[in-house]
Amino acid sequence: MPPLAANTVIKQYKVLAPIGKGGMGEVYLAQDTALGRKVALKILPSEFAADRDRMDRFVREAQSASALNHPNIITIYEIGESNGTHFIATEFIDGKTLTELAQSHALDYRVMLDVAIQVASALDDAHSAGIVHRDIKPDNVMVRSNGLTKVLDFGIAKLSAPTDSSDDTTTALQPQTHAGVLIGTPQFMSPEQVRGLRVDHQTDIFSLGVVMHHMLSGQSPFAGDTVSDALAAVLTREPRRLTEVPAALADIVSRTLQKDTRHRYRSAKDLLRDLRAFRQESDFQDNLDRRTESVRIEATPGRSGSRPSIAVLPFTNMSADADNEYFCDGLAEELLNALSKIDDLKVAARTSAFSFKGKSVNASEIGARLGVNHILEGSVRRSGNRLRISVQLVNASDGFHLWSNRYDSEMRDLFDVQDEIALAVVGALKVMLFGAEKTALLKRYTDDAAVHELFLKGRYYSNKYSAEGWTRAIEFFQRAIDMQPDHAPAHAAMAVCYGCLWYFGLLPAGQTVPQCKAATRKALDIDGTLADAHLPLAIITFFYDWEWERAEQAFKQSVALNSNNAEALSYYALFLAFEGRADEALARAQRALEIDPLSPLINMTVGWAYFSTGRSDAALDQVGKMIEIEPDFYGAYWLKGAIRMAEERYADAVEELKRAVSLGGHPIVVADLGSAYGLAARREDAVRILDQLLEMRRREYVPATCIARVYSRLGEIEKAIEWLETAFDERNGEMVFLQEEIAGTAEGDPLSRLGSDPRVKDLLRRMSLPQ
């Protein structure tokens, strides 16, 4: 067919100029007159179109390729025919092929690395759809001026085969010609392709390896004077090892070029992961050093010594859908949790870091309040399965941006993006990663984006720290487990929810503790190194099983596996206070506050630890901090009310506890108000509270210890002991502090009379509590 003249119209496409020629025909720049856009118009040879069976198969396969929707794959607009001319209309790429970019010299390895990552991402998407390219070569990879890479001609090598190749395995891929067209490009073929064996996605991986080697070294690893020489080289010649690039990148290229597929990368996803990791660990560090040559990334004096530290702020939701907030929070929390596994890095806990959500606070103030010298912040724009994630690492002392990046990806690539960001942060902070820490940092529990989304939704509701939140969270965690039964974090998170519903007196043990234990066991069976599973185990073993030695082992294990877990440290502090090990308790409490200074709950737990060890002054300091952080947090007034009762300032205790109850305190707080009324000689009010608790218990769960406590302060010892026996049978969590509570009461407090009662002594003995 003669070349088309300018202004020739084929269907609605007006030819503007020729732009290329290949084995599949002439390619023209054309104008789509219907939609007003430029397109690339490929005209198929007439002899190709004349073969009806071959043409039909071509159309079917090209239609499959056109279904691919990936930013690094050229978009096919139409496959059609007009007046006997068969054509393919695709998007027009205003850029250069790799061949044009390289010209007579090798590409800088950073440029090639960026291109290779985009090509590997495109191949991963195509392979997932069951489509193999079969002709990856420099001429089929185009790069725009902004760096965006596009892979051309998906499936075309297979489609150009004669019709007698019916089984998709041999003739179509044989190094032969048809109508003067060579099927495939010899020096970029895989060994199995040259031999005419069945090919799959690993063929594309080999070809991409050849492209990388060629572009990085400036010459083809399998060049030959003739086609036969090139084909023989593919089968017999070992490519020389690249010495022009970092050794880690040379290793990656070598693995793609393994002739034995058993030693080659098994998937484009695996190759993509290694390419991205290399970019973060090596190339990223080089760029960072150049950009921040005059900046020393080290701890800010007066904040956290020489130890690097960071806060991960909640990511801003830039999506049109406000419901994506859970996803933005979840992504930030995933990064926070990953970084918290590094012992040499102090990571501010979620509650403190997320307290700045929606607030206009500068980096310096955030750093000062959290005691960190770096801040990671970002934004997420989500549209369907497409993501744009922007991240920046900031020096808290001066607001200087140490590193930033933007990631455009599909939802299914989110895990790779998270790994990239985590490694980039570690590199920027110059933190030394040991083998086990790196493994923990990059550890994944799922590659299924749908499972991960359900998990993030569950954690979003769990973090609301309410009965409704925990109940909703359990539903999402269960759905994630239904889809992937071995998702250990979902089992562990569900265990925490059940444990909280019981521990805070919202549901009885029979409806929560067995579920909590089962979920914990399952999580630990799947992954015994999961710190988040050891914590609910420790809490249940302590507060429910009353097995002190096993509880401490579990607390120690949880803290050892994640030394940045403020919640584990605060609960361990409570346990140590219960054991009478005041110095150890206070050390753990102070460490928890260092990590999570703005968490009302951590401050409350630490305050109770101080109070339990006789440090009422320190406990009152925590009350002040809680009120400063959140004036309407019931826990501050609950703790202050307990302190005032211990000081025999009963009228003050009543006022504090009334405030706590009005702010939503749970039944335990209501019971303490009833106790304060009893101690303040306001019997009528105390009885009213008691009746309220008894009525509540008829409708919903109220721990028996709550009722026993009010009866004791009313001086009704028999009733108090009767309800303590019920609490023992129900295994109420508060029972572990019974001996401490009795011993700490003033002489005039009726509760003190319980300590000498033989029935209470027997109850303490059965619990193995000290008497």
Side-chain angles (χ1 to χ4, degrees):
M1 175 184 291
L4 298 178
N7 297 321
T8 299
V9 176
I10 298 177
K11 201 175 180 182
Q12 78 263 33
Y13 305 106
K14 180 180 179 181
V15 173
L16 301 177
I19 56 175
K21 182 177 182 179
M24 289 299 295
E26 302 279 350
V27 184
Y28 297 88
L29 173 63
Q31 181 76 16
D32 184 339
T33 58
L35 296 176
R37 62 184 176 186
K38 290 181 178 180
V39 301
L41 194 67
K42 180 172 289 189
I43 305 301
L44 303 181
S46 56
E47 62 271 23
F48 180 97
D51 188 332
R52 180 59 181 272
D53 289 339
R54 189 178 179 200
M55 189 65 198
D56 287 346
R57 185 161 58 87
F58 171 82
V59 171
R60 287 196 304 272
E61 297 292 348
Q63 285 172 339
S64 296
S66 71
L68 296 173
N69 181 19
H70 190 279
N72 299 120
I73 297 176
I74 192 170
T75 301
I76 298 176
Y77 294 142
E78 183 180 4
I79 305 162
E81 180 268 337
S82 177
N83 297 322
T85 299
H86 293 264
F87 63 87
I88 303 174
T90 71
E91 67 174 309
F92 170 64
I93 310 298
D94 187 8
K96 295 181 178 180
T97 66
L98 277 183
T99 301
E100 293 169 326
L101 281 178
Q103 295 180 341
S104 60
H105 57 81
L107 289 179
D108 180 273
Y109 82 86
R110 296 171 183 82
V111 174
M112 187 60 233
L113 178 63
D114 189 56
V115 170
I117 286 173
Q118 295 182 70
V119 174
S121 179
L123 291 176
D124 179 35
D125 190 74
H127 296 167
S128 297
I131 296 174
V132 180
H133 191 288
R134 291 174 166 81
D135 196 19
I136 294 293
K137 59 184 178 182
D139 284 340
N140 275 338
V141 178
M142 293 197 72
V143 183
R144 288 179 175 168
S145 58
N146 64 0
L148 180 65
T149 298
K150 292 278 187 174
V151 182
L152 316 181
D153 287 352
F154 257 95
I156 300 303
K158 173 187 175 183
L159 307 180
S160 62
T163 55
D164 57 0
S165 60
S166 59
D167 69 351
D168 185 37
T169 62
T170 54
T171 313
L173 304 171
Q174 296 278 4
Q176 59 177 300
T177 60
H178 177 73
V181 179
L182 183 68
I183 308 307
T185 307
Q187 67 194 57
F188 295 98
M189 287 182 173
S190 68
E192 59 270 24
Q193 199 170 0
V194 170
R195 294 173 61 196
L197 301 176
R198 179 179 294 276
V199 300
D200 60 13
H201 56 278
Q202 285 185 289
T203 282
D204 287 345
I205 293 171
F206 187 94
S207 298
L208 177 55
V210 179
V211 170
M212 287 192 288
H213 194 290
H214 190 176
M215 296 295 102
L216 291 169
S217 67
Q219 56 186 346
S220 172
F222 305 117
D225 294 334
T226 67
V227 170
S228 296
D229 290 341
L231 296 174
V234 171
L235 293 175
T236 62
R237 183 190 304 166
E238 289 298 328
R240 74 171 180 84
R241 180 173 175 80
L242 293 172
T243 57
E244 304 87 345
V245 301
L249 181 56
D251 288 342
I252 292 172
V253 175
S254 293
R255 187 174 171 190
T256 64
L257 294 175
Q258 293 297 310
K259 299 185 190 300
D260 188 337
T261 57
R262 293 174 298 178
H263 302 143
R264 199 181 304 163
Y265 279 101
R266 297 189 64 83
S267 70
K269 183 181 289 295
D270 291 341
L271 170 60
L272 181 61
R273 185 175 299 148
D274 279 4
L275 287 170
R276 284 173 165 167
F278 167 75
R279 181 169 66 181
Q280 294 306 320
E281 293 178 348
S282 178
D283 185 46
F284 163 77
Q285 191 61 55
D286 292 342
N287 290 334
L288 178 69
D289 290 343
R290 285 197 299 273
R291 283 206 310 267
T292 61
E293 185 176 355
S294 62
V295 180
R296 290 179 59 83
I297 303 175
E298 56 186 20
T300 303
R303 283 200 177 148
S304 53
S306 60
R307 186 185 184 205
S309 54
I310 189 171
V312 181
L313 301 186
F315 284 15
T316 303
N317 180 20
M318 303 294 289
S319 310
D321 187 355
D323 288 342
N324 277 320
E325 180 183 3
Y326 81 89
F327 182 80
C328 301
D329 286 359
L331 176 57
E333 190 171 357
E334 287 284 281
L335 290 168
L336 186 156
N337 289 339
L339 294 171
S340 71
K341 296 171 184 175
I342 304 173
D343 285 338
D344 286 339
L345 179 64
K346 174 192 170 184
V347 182
R350 178 196 184 280
T351 310
S352 289
F354 277 42
S355 68
F356 295 98
K357 185 174 182 177
K359 299 176 182 177
S360 180
V361 185
N362 63 42
S364 180
E365 183 179 347
I366 293 174
R369 293 185 67 185
L370 298 183
V372 299
N373 41 52
H374 299 97
I375 294 169
L376 185 71
E377 57 187 7
S379 64
V380 180
R381 186 181 299 277
R382 181 178 179 184
S383 178
N385 285 323
R386 294 292 302 155
L387 295 173
R388 170 166 289 179
I389 301 170
S390 299
V391 194
Q392 48 272 340
L393 181 67
V394 179
N395 188 318
S397 63
D398 55 17
F400 183 81
H401 280 221
L402 302 175
W403 164 79
S404 64
N405 206 349
R406 191 183 78 187
Y407 302 87
D408 292 309
S409 71
E410 298 281 345
M411 267 296 296
R412 62 188 179 82
D413 295 324
L414 174 65
F415 310 108
D416 293 328
V417 172
Q418 288 178 181
D419 290 349
E420 280 194 63
I421 296 172
L423 287 171
V425 171
V426 169
L429 298 180
K430 299 187 184 299
V431 175
M432 180 66 71
L433 272 185
F434 296 99
E437 286 180 324
K438 183 175 181 181
T439 299
L441 181 72
L442 301 179
K443 189 167 188 174
R444 295 182 186 178
Y445 289 94
T446 185
D447 287 318
D448 189 325
V451 171
H452 190 60
E453 277 209 79
L454 289 169
F455 176 71
L456 293 184
K457 287 181 179 179
R459 196 163 58 191
Y460 174 77
Y461 282 104
S462 177
N463 286 328
K464 291 182 178 295
Y465 235 77
S466 65
E468 182 182 0
W470 288 317
T471 302
R472 288 288 306 277
I474 288 170
E475 294 173 4
F476 282 111
F477 291 139
Q478 186 59 59
R479 287 170 60 187
I481 290 166
D482 289 341
M483 291 182 66
Q484 184 180 322
D486 66 348
H487 195 285
H491 288 284
M494 190 159 64
V496 169
C497 291
Y498 277 120
C500 288
L501 287 169
W502 167 75
Y503 178 74
F504 288 104
L506 301 169
L507 287 177
Q511 295 180 28
T512 51
V513 172
Q515 293 88 336
C516 176
K517 288 185 173 183
T520 300
R521 282 195 301 270
K522 185 63 177 178
L524 292 174
D525 286 344
I526 297 168
D527 182 5
T529 68
L530 185 60
D532 291 345
H534 286 277
L535 180 56
L537 172 65
I539 291 172
I540 288 295
T541 307
F542 174 34
F543 287 105
Y544 182 84
D545 292 328
W546 304 333
E547 297 182 15
W548 323 124
E549 187 174 336
R550 280 187 58 233
E552 180 162 18
Q553 289 174 353
F555 278 123
K556 283 183 175 179
Q557 188 74 352
S558 181
V559 171
L561 289 168
N562 186 353
S563 60
N564 280 305
N565 189 330
E567 188 176 18
L569 286 162
S570 65
Y571 274 113
Y572 190 22
L574 274 182
F575 173 83
L576 292 168
F578 154 80
E579 290 258 298
R581 295 150 63 181
D583 290 343
E584 293 178 72
L586 298 182
R588 298 303 190 287
Q590 289 161 358
R591 169 68 178 142
L593 281 176
E594 179 188 347
I595 297 168
D596 205 355
L598 302 184
S599 165
L601 287 166
I602 294 296
N603 275 273
M604 181 181 73
T605 306
V606 170
W608 280 104
Y610 282 135
F611 181 49
S612 298
T613 54
R615 291 283 306 278
S616 294
D617 53 344
L620 284 172
D621 284 343
Q622 294 308 123
V623 168
K625 291 176 183 177
M626 281 186 272
I627 294 173
E628 181 180 352
I629 294 167
E630 177 49 71
D632 292 332
F633 177 52
Y634 78 90
Y637 308 99
W638 178 29
L639 176 56
K640 191 173 182 180
I643 294 170
R644 294 307 182 218
M645 277 199 288
E647 295 171 341
E648 301 184 61
R649 295 169 56 178
Y650 302 130
D652 292 340
V654 165
E655 294 308 311
E656 299 295 343
L657 290 165
K658 282 171 64 178
R659 179 78 180 274
V661 170
S662 71
L663 292 173
H666 45 68
I668 299 174
V669 184
V670 176
D672 276 351
L673 175 58
S675 296
Y677 277 136
L679 293 170
R682 294 174 58 174
R683 184 176 181 85
E684 184 177 332
D685 289 323
V687 171
R688 175 175 53 80
I689 293 292
L690 180 61
D691 290 342
Q692 180 183 337
L693 290 169
L694 289 169
E695 178 59 29
M696 286 173 62
R697 187 173 166 92
R698 281 189 280 271
R699 300 191 315 269
E700 58 193 77
Y701 177 66
V702 172
T705 48
C706 295
I707 297 169
R709 183 176 292 114
V710 181
Y711 269 126
S712 69
R713 262 53 187 264
L714 285 169
E716 298 187 32
I717 301 303
E718 293 298 320
K719 284 284 189 181
I721 293 175
E722 177 184 330
W723 279 96
L724 283 177
E725 284 290 351
T726 301
F728 176 88
D729 293 338
E730 293 179 353
R731 302 188 83 82
N732 290 173
E734 279 195 291
M735 290 290 286
V736 300
F737 298 114
L738 178 59
Q739 172 60 26
E740 174 192 321
E741 188 175 3
I742 292 172
T745 54
E747 187 174 340
D749 188 336
L751 182 63
S752 63
R753 292 159 52 189
L754 292 176
S756 59
D757 192 290
R759 291 167 295 181
V760 175
K761 288 185 176 181
D762 180 63
L763 188 150
L764 296 175
R765 179 189 58 77
R766 283 181 277 150
M767 291 181 62
S768 299
L769 286 169
Q771 300 182 42

